Amino acid sequence: MTDDMLHVMEWHNGDKDYSPFSDAEMKRRQDGMRGWMAKNDVDAALLTSYHCINYYSGWLYCAFGRKYGMVITPDAATTVSAGIDGGQPWRRSFGNSITYTDWRRDNFYRAIRQLTPGVKRLGIEFDHVNLDYRKALEAALPGVEFVDIAQASMWMRAIKSAEEHALIRTGARICDLGGWAVAGAVKAGVPEHEVAIAGTNAMIRAIAATFPFVELMDTWTWFQSGINTDGAHNPVTNKTVKAGEILSLNTFPMIFGYYTALERTLFCDHVDDASLDIWEKNVAVHRRGLELIKPGAKCNEIALELNEMYRGWTLLKYRSFGYGHSFGVLSHYYGREAGVELREDTETVLQPGMVVSMEPMVMLPEGVPGAGGYREHDILIVTEDGAENITGFPFGPEHNIIRN
């Protein structure tokens, strides 16, 4: 190996890019981690997940089989990226950035050692570092004790700042634009994927028009029809829409790593009586759920009250998942603030600043009158005395029987 084949380097190409978050906001996040480290006698933190690196640096990596990290110490914050990314991690990171090359398999760990000299207790994300990864870290950092930072980071992310609220509001607005594009494309005989393309393209264009600079990645639409509505995360297919069929509209703009969502039950052209009855009952649960989201409410108590509504209609057995979850640095392949989910096993008390969804769903199987998956979804910002619903797209039979 020649001397010019470096193992670790600074690849600072260009200037820092636009961010929707101020330097003060990013410093607040990093200082929050430093405060936790000081209280827990942790010398440095090694972040490895998409969501944590994005939250604390502003940069969202593309793994493609490589390892990525961010090291926060009492006086520095540095992302660790692969050479294939060029200077993009530097331009997107709040703080420093170093790059490791592919010339040797251990260069990522060499970079971590370089950033953690003298560290005795290192915070890592126990829920992200698998067994092989941990063994490699132990070999690279002999004598270092590992401390879990995943839970602490989750709670730091759970209460959003005013700047995060502003970005999430923008995302909700763009969800609605995607929703209107989907509704406009629905027609008997049109394939699911063509409807989904209309929604996604509308959102991408809206994101591009909203910010002076933005990386356009990961925005998507799930549009499901008929039996495909039985799962909330069922992918788009080339199945064609039929008149009288239940439909599920789901738009998801991704903006600087932040996820927002709009989900609605629709019907193409007309709805039968059995389906209308189920739909109206699910809408009633949704309306009550929106009323229950407020500061001081317990996640599990919200779920238990809504369960009683379904139980009264003998629909509880058709419920398929929790009633809502936290929003922020989240996507369909990374991130989860599991401590803020509207489920029977989550006793978290909602606090001002949290952002949660209300999204009741029931799924009736084929062969049952009203078969299909019914789901409504709004996003709410918990305030000091209630909650602000930032979703604008209407729900219910009076709005969403689509006759194009």
Side-chain angles (χ1 to χ4, degrees):
M1 182 176 291
T2 60
D3 290 339
D4 58 348
M5 296 184 75
L6 300 174
H7 299 294
V8 180
M9 70 191 85
E10 288 187 342
W11 202 324
H12 295 180
N13 188 33
D15 299 323
K16 295 289 188 179
D17 283 330
Y18 167 83
S19 169
F21 302 120
S22 66
D23 288 358
E25 164 68 8
M26 297 307 297
K27 187 175 185 300
R28 177 193 69 80
R29 300 180 187 189
Q30 294 178 3
D31 285 349
M33 177 59 73
R34 292 186 178 106
W36 181 90
M37 288 160 47
K39 289 178 183 177
N40 292 273
D41 195 26
V42 171
D43 303 308
L46 169 60
L47 307 170
T48 52
S49 67
Y50 291 101
H51 41 282
C52 275
I53 292 176
N54 182 252
Y55 181 77
Y56 290 100
S57 76
W59 169 56
L60 184 62
Y61 66 81
C62 175
F64 233 113
R66 292 176 170 86
K67 286 188 166 48
Y68 290 84
M70 180 182 187
V71 174
I72 297 179
T73 66
D75 54 7
T78 309
T79 55
V80 180
S81 57
I84 196 169
D85 299 295
Q88 186 251 9
W90 153 254
R91 295 191 295 273
R92 296 296 312 136
S93 296
F94 179 75
N96 197 16
S97 178
I98 62 172
T99 296
Y100 72 92
T101 66
D102 287 343
W103 319 142
R104 282 180 51 167
R105 290 186 181 275
D106 65 348
N107 279 349
F108 171 78
Y109 300 99
R110 184 186 293 254
I112 301 303
R113 284 197 302 271
Q114 181 175 310
L115 293 172
T116 56
V119 167
K120 299 300 182 184
R121 281 168 55 85
L122 178 68
I124 64 172
E125 298 177 67
F126 280 18
D127 63 356
H128 186 260
V129 175
N130 61 32
L131 291 174
D132 287 342
Y133 200 163
R134 177 152 182 166
K135 287 178 181 177
L137 284 172
E138 289 170 347
L141 303 170
V144 172
E145 179 185 357
F146 298 117
V147 180
D148 184 30
I149 57 171
Q151 288 293 308
S153 174
M154 179 192 73
W155 290 115
M156 289 180 210
R157 301 193 312 273
I159 298 179
K160 276 56 180 177
S161 67
E163 292 187 21
E164 289 181 282
H165 290 165
L167 184 63
I168 292 168
R169 284 190 181 91
T170 298
R173 174 181 64 81
I174 292 173
C175 283
D176 291 344
L177 293 175
W180 288 116
V182 166
V186 168
K187 190 175 183 180
V190 176
E192 289 179 359
H193 70 275
E194 291 294 341
V195 177
I197 287 169
T200 301
N201 286 352
M203 291 188 290
I204 289 173
R205 289 174 179 137
I207 296 168
T210 299
F211 300 95
F213 176 82
V214 60
E215 295 175 338
L216 297 166
M217 56 188 290
D218 300 329
T219 291
W220 84 105
T221 300
W222 279 326
F223 176 75
Q224 301 134 347
S225 62
I227 196 170
N228 291 342
T229 64
D230 67 347
H233 298 163
N234 292 352
V236 172
T237 75
N238 58 353
K239 176 187 173 301
T240 57
V241 173
K242 299 176 183 177
E245 202 167 35
I246 188 171
L247 313 172
S248 186
L249 176 163
N250 310 266
T251 57
F252 309 107
M254 291 296 303
I255 311 174
F256 296 98
Y258 278 70
Y259 162 95
T260 46
L262 166 70
E263 300 172 15
R264 289 289 185 259
T265 297
L266 315 173
F267 273 79
C268 178
D269 190 59
H270 62 272
V271 58
D272 63 272
D273 290 342
S275 298
L276 180 61
D277 179 61
I278 302 300
W279 192 4
E280 289 177 335
K281 287 171 178 172
N282 202 57
V283 164
V285 173
H286 184 57
R287 290 187 190 280
R288 180 56 181 154
L290 295 174
E291 294 171 352
L292 292 173
I293 294 177
K294 62 187 70 173
K298 279 191 174 183
C299 292
N300 63 326
E301 291 177 355
I302 293 173
L304 291 170
E305 177 170 335
L306 298 181
N307 280 351
E308 288 305 308
M309 294 183 70
Y310 281 135
R311 183 175 283 114
W313 296 314
T314 66
L315 289 174
L316 187 58
K317 62 184 177 181
Y318 297 126
R319 230 194 91 203
S320 60
F321 59 87
Y323 288 101
H325 59 81
S326 183
F327 277 78
V329 180
L330 174 72
S331 178
H332 55 318
Y333 62 91
Y334 65 81
R336 196 72 170 180
E337 292 162 19
V340 189
E341 296 200 20
L342 305 182
R343 295 173 19 153
E344 295 83 349
D345 58 357
T346 304
E347 297 185 357
T348 300
V349 175
L350 296 182
Q351 300 177 50
M354 290 180 171
V355 182
V356 296
S357 60
M358 173 48 58
E359 49 179 308
M361 178 177 178
V362 288
M363 187 282 288
L364 280 70
E366 290 292 289
V368 173
Y374 299 77
R375 184 171 69 262
E376 312 297 340
H377 178 297
D378 288 29
I379 301 173
L380 298 98
I381 298 175
V382 181
T383 62
E384 293 293 333
D385 56 2
E388 175 191 358
N389 189 335
I390 61 174
T391 296
F393 194 95
F395 59 83
E398 61 270 36
H399 301 289
N400 289 329
I401 300 172
I402 309 300
R403 300 182 177 95
N404 288 328

